[in-house]
Structure formats: C-alpha cells, structure tokens
Amino acid sequence: METDKRPPAGGGDGCLVGVIRIPVKIVAVLVVLPVRVVWELLVAAGRAVHRHVLRPLYVHVLEPLLRALGWLLTTLLKLVFVWPWVVLWRYVVVPVGQGLAWAWRGLYEQVLAPAGRFLTAYVLRPLGEALAWIGRGGMRYLLAPLAKGIGWIGWALGMTLFVWPWIGLWRYVLAPVGRGIAWLAAVVHRYVLRPVGLGFVWLVVAVYRYVLRPVGLGFVWLVVAVYRYLLRPVGLGFVWLVVAVYRYLLRPVGLGLAWLAGALYRYVLAPVGQVLVWAWHVAGRIVGALWRGLKWVGWVLVGWPASRVYRHVLTPVGHAVREVWRTGRAAVREARATVRRALFGAPPVEPSRSRARTLGSTTAADAAPADEISLPRRQG
C-alpha cells in the first residue's frame, strides 16, 4: 500500500495528517468491514424475523388478542355503566310510569269526570240559574240600598279599624318614642361615643408618633446601613471577583479549549471521519463484491448444473416422450380406423381431383408428411 504523494486538498494538512490517516485507514478496514458485514447480516435477519415471525405473530396472535380484550373491556363497561340504567329504565321507570298514567287515566275517566258532570248538571247549573233569577229581581229593590248601607258601614269600619288606630299610634306612641330615642342617641353621642372616639384617635396618634414612627425610622436606617456598609461592598466584591475570574481564568481557559477543540477537529476528527466514510464505502463495495461472488458461486454450484441438466437431459427426454406419445396416438387412430372399416365398410371415396389436391395448395393431400425438424438447439 503506497502513501498518497499528492498535497492535501485543504492546503493546511501536512505530514501529521498523513501519519494519522494511514493507521486509521488500516484500523477502519479491520474494524468497519466486519461491522458492515455484521450489520448487513443483522438487517437481513431482522427483515426475515419481521416477515416470518413478528408479522404472523401480530396478525394471528396479538391482533385477535387485542380485539378480544377490546370487546371484553367494552362489554364490561356496558355491563357496569350502561346496562344497569337500561334495565332500570326499561323494567322499572317505564312500567311504573305506565302504571301511574293508567291509574290517573282511570281515576279521571271513572271518578273525576263523572263527578264533574254530575255537579255541573244537578248542582252548579241550577244554583247558578236560581242566583241569577234572585239577582235580577232583588238587585233593583233590595241589593242596591243594602249595598249603599254596607258601603257606608264598611267605610266607617275601615276608617275605625285600619286608619285611625295607625294615626293614633303614630301621633301618640311612635313620634314621642322616636323623639326620645333621638334625644337619647344625641346624649350618648355627645357624652359617650365622641369622647371615646377622640380618646381612641389620640391613642392611635400617640402610638404612631412615639412607637411606630421611631421603630419604622430605625428599621429603615438599619436597612440602609446594612445595604450601604454590608450588601453593597459584598456585591461589588462579588462582581469584581466574577469579572476577574471570567477575565483571567474562564476566558483564557475557554479560548484554550476552543483552540484545542478546533485543532482536534481539524487534525484528528476530520481525518478520522473522512477515513471512516471511506472505509464505510470500501466495506460496502467489498460486501457487494462478496455478494456478487456468492451469487456467482451459487450459480456455478446450483444454477448452471441445473440448467445443464434441464437443457441436455430433461429437454431431450421430454421431446422423446412427446414423439412416443404422438406415434402411439397415430397408431391408435389408425387401429380405430381399420376396425371401423372392417365393421362398417369403407367411407365414400372423394373425387381424385379433390383428394389429390387441397384447396389453394399445390401439395398433394395424401403426401407423406415430412420429418419434424426441431429448432436448432442453443449450445451451452
């Protein structure tokens, strides 16, 4: 294996890349080729397992099992959540409703309707007619004066029972009591509630002025002092420390790691990747060549002998059997014709012209057929 003498395509690759590339190629050929072969075998095995094991297992086992489980789950859900309500509605609610409707219909038809018709015919209608006759006769001479007297009495009773008591209650009870309650409320407000409220307000102002305000100012001063003399210096120191760590540690380390990663990618990973890709293609070509070789070996060991046997053994035997069959069939036909002539006589003979020549042909009809000429056989 000769080393490639041409300069690298990138322009920046040197002898270091060549020194790395050659061992990597050797290792890739020794490692990637078996991996590629094993991968192709695993792919073929996976396809065979999927076609002959997993798919029949799914079609003939898992799918019926899942369908049975779905049917069982559906039936269970119907049995728990649907059928009890259907049975309750069909055999309890509907019969009870129909029975109640039938009872109400019977009660109405047999009791209420006859009673109503009886009351209307024999009680209410005669009573109404009598009241109408009495009303027409007594309205003019009795009820009108009586109504006027009853109206005046009603007005007097209404005023006595519903107006004057409320006026007296308001004038002699509620108004004096309201004025007394208002005077009592004014006294309580002036001599009790107002002093108590002023005292409470003074207490709140005093607590705010002499307790809450000093405490609040002290808390604010404490917070300002903690921020100014503790948190701010600590925060500035922390920020300075972070900036210093970034500037003098993280940034140089990051730049170094970036340069190292770039160099590693450029001088190691990229050549190794190229070699692996090349090795993968080479492995594919080798596998293809191996497959073609296996196909050629299969043809040499199985296909070519089978074609030779078919061409030089089975085909002549078939032709011979066909000739024997044709000869036997012609002999049987000739024997049958001879027996028929012997038993029933010869058939009518055609004229010599029509018997000697066929229609549209110059060859005699009774001429002996020529020997069968088979097609030229292809030589292997």
Side-chain angles (χ1 to χ4, degrees):
M1 181 177 180
E2 297 182 358
T3 307
D4 193 359
K5 301 298 184 178
R6 292 176 298 175
D13 300 339
C15 60
L16 179 61
V17 176
V19 170
I20 295 175
R21 183 178 296 174
I22 295 173
V24 170
K25 283 186 177 182
I26 297 173
V27 173
V29 170
L30 295 177
V31 174
V32 176
L33 180 60
V35 171
R36 183 64 180 266
V37 173
V38 171
W39 173 259
E40 296 293 337
L41 294 176
L42 289 176
V43 169
R47 291 176 179 175
V49 168
H50 177 267
R51 181 178 300 171
H52 300 289
V53 178
L54 296 180
R55 188 174 180 181
L57 179 63
Y58 174 77
V59 172
H60 300 289
V61 178
L62 293 179
E63 187 174 2
L65 182 60
L66 292 176
R67 288 182 179 178
L69 289 176
W71 177 82
L72 180 61
L73 182 60
T74 304
T75 304
L76 183 61
L77 291 176
K78 288 182 179 180
L79 182 62
V80 174
F81 295 104
V82 178
W83 291 345
W85 299 103
V86 173
V87 171
L88 180 63
W89 172 261
R90 184 175 297 173
Y91 299 104
V92 177
V93 176
V94 173
V96 170
Q98 292 177 354
L100 292 177
W102 176 81
W104 174 255
R105 190 181 301 112
L107 179 63
Y108 175 76
E109 292 178 355
Q110 304 297 328
V111 178
L112 297 179
R117 288 193 293 269
F118 177 79
L119 289 175
T120 302
Y122 299 101
V123 177
L124 297 178
R125 184 177 294 171
L127 182 61
E129 292 177 354
L131 291 176
W133 179 80
I134 293 171
R136 285 194 300 270
M139 177 62 71
R140 183 177 297 176
Y141 304 104
L142 179 63
L143 293 180
L146 182 62
K148 291 181 180 179
I150 290 173
W152 183 84
I153 293 171
W155 177 82
L157 288 176
M159 292 296 293
T160 303
L161 296 177
F162 298 102
V163 177
W164 292 341
W166 297 106
I167 293 174
L169 180 64
W170 170 260
R171 183 176 295 174
Y172 301 105
V173 177
L174 295 179
V177 171
R179 286 193 293 269
I181 292 174
W183 176 81
L184 181 62
V187 171
V188 171
H189 175 265
R190 179 176 297 178
Y191 298 103
V192 178
L193 297 179
R194 188 169 180 275
V196 172
L198 292 176
F200 182 75
V201 170
W202 178 84
L203 179 62
V204 170
V205 172
V207 169
Y208 169 75
R209 181 176 297 174
Y210 300 105
V211 178
L212 297 179
R213 188 167 178 272
V215 172
L217 292 177
F219 181 75
V220 172
W221 179 84
L222 179 63
V223 169
V224 172
V226 168
Y227 170 76
R228 181 177 296 174
Y229 299 106
L230 180 62
L231 296 179
R232 187 170 179 273
V234 171
L236 291 176
F238 181 75
V239 172
W240 178 85
L241 179 62
V242 169
V243 171
V245 168
Y246 169 76
R247 181 177 296 174
Y248 300 106
L249 179 62
L250 296 179
R251 188 169 179 273
V253 172
L255 292 176
L257 290 175
W259 179 84
L260 181 61
L264 181 65
Y265 172 79
R266 184 174 183 181
Y267 297 106
V268 177
L269 296 179
V272 169
Q274 294 175 0
V275 171
L276 289 176
V277 171
W278 173 81
W280 183 262
H281 290 295
V282 171
R285 293 184 180 180
I286 293 175
V287 170
L290 289 176
W291 177 249
R292 290 192 295 272
L294 290 175
K295 288 175 61 177
W296 181 81
V297 170
W299 166 253
V300 171
L301 295 179
V302 178
W304 186 80
S307 66
R308 298 298 96 185
V309 169
Y310 174 78
R311 182 174 297 172
H312 298 289
V313 177
L314 298 180
T315 301
V317 170
H319 290 171
V321 170
R322 184 179 63 187
E323 294 297 333
V324 170
W325 172 257
R326 288 180 177 178
T327 305
R329 185 173 61 181
V332 170
R333 288 180 178 177
E334 186 66 26
R336 289 173 60 188
T338 303
V339 171
R340 187 181 296 109
R341 285 194 302 268
L343 293 177
F344 303 104
V349 180
E350 297 179 358
S352 60
R353 181 178 179 86
S354 63
R355 186 174 59 85
R357 300 287 182 177
T358 59
L359 183 61
S361 175
T362 59
T363 305
D366 57 349
D371 295 336
E372 181 181 358
I373 301 175
S374 60
L375 295 175
R377 298 176 182 177
R378 187 180 62 177
Q379 300 296 328

